[in-house]
Amino acid sequence: GLLRIDHVGIAVPDLDAAIEFYGRVFGMACVHTEVNDDQGVREAMLTVGDGTSRLQLLAPLRDDSAIAKFLAKSGPGLQQIAYTVSDVEAAADAVRAKGLRVLYEQPRRGTAGSRINFVHPKDCGGVLVELVEPLHPQG
Ligand code: V0V
């Protein structure tokens, strides 16, 4: 099952400008940045309030990346909601068993050594759902 909301992901054209915006307007702290070449993103993780909620800013590395396509089609904005799971293979299997399309046969590498997979947005009411197994799951 799902443990909690891991993060909410927002597509942005300029990562540094977005980090500056969320810090200045909402006081959010950037706690991690990373380039994920496989996913074609430069990303930043920001904590909200007490640090238990997180926002992920996603900027495209390349024109053919998922984030570049999303920005071209929909513009900047909410791109995904991610749920923490303790076992990403089991979570993906459970979703597949309900007849939904999971994007990858095997999990791929996500932020900070996590393992990730996605449920197709067309099977989730227009929402791209990410399943995240953190490197060090808590609870
Ligand atoms: C596309 N669509 C979306 C969407 N992206 N709907 C809701 N939310 C999104 N994010 C819609 C799109 O408007 C189309 O609607 C339809 O889905 C099919 O789109 P498409 O153009 O045929 O397909 P693509 O090429 O845009 O691909 C969509 C998918 C792609 C979801 C397959 O974005 C993908 O593979 N995403 C998973 C990887 C990802 O998002 N990586 C970046 C984050 P109509 O026009 O048919 O109605 S990386 C990350 O989160 C990391 C590293 C982490 O958390 O650790």
Side-chain angles (χ1 to χ4, degrees), residues 7 36 39 41 43 45 56 58 66-67 69-70 73-74 78-80 82 103-104 109-112 114 116 118-122 126-128 130 132:
H7 61 264
N36 186 325
Q39 290 292 330
V41 296
E43 49 135 325
M45 202 62 91
Q56 184 183 47
L58 298 156
I67 297 301
K69 282 189 184 175
F70 183 89
K73 186 164 184 198
S74 309
L78 277 179
Q79 191 257 351
Q80 58 169 261
L103 293 185
Y104 310 138
R109 193 180 63 75
T111 188
S114 60
I116 63 175
F118 294 87
V119 188
H120 199 288
K122 289 293 168 187
V127 177
L128 175 62
E130 181 182 351
V132 186

Side-chain angles (χ1 to χ4, degrees), residues 7-8 54 57 66-67 82 95-96 98 100 104 119 121:
H7 61 264
V8 172
R54 304 190 303 169
L57 304 175
I67 297 301
V95 167
R96 280 191 201 96
K98 301 217 155 63
L100 279 64
Y104 310 138
V119 188

Side-chain angles (χ1 to χ4, degrees), residues 59-124:
L61 268 187
R62 306 182 280 274
D63 287 349
D64 64 347
S65 63
I67 297 301
K69 282 189 184 175
F70 183 89
L71 286 170
K73 186 164 184 198
S74 309
L78 277 179
Q79 191 257 351
Q80 58 169 261
I81 180 157
Y83 299 105
T84 313
V85 299
S86 57
D87 179 339
V88 68
E89 277 103 345
D93 282 346
V95 167
R96 280 191 201 96
K98 301 217 155 63
L100 279 64
R101 284 169 290 172
V102 171
L103 293 185
Y104 310 138
E105 210 162 301
Q106 298 296 330
R108 295 194 185 167
R109 193 180 63 75
T111 188
S114 60
R115 300 194 311 137
I116 63 175
N117 211 329
F118 294 87
V119 188
H120 199 288
K122 289 293 168 187
D123 293 351
C124 273

Side-chain angles (χ1 to χ4, degrees), residues 18-30:
I19 294 170
E20 190 278 330
F21 174 86
Y22 281 98
R24 177 169 49 82
V25 177
F26 295 112
M28 292 184 198
C30 176

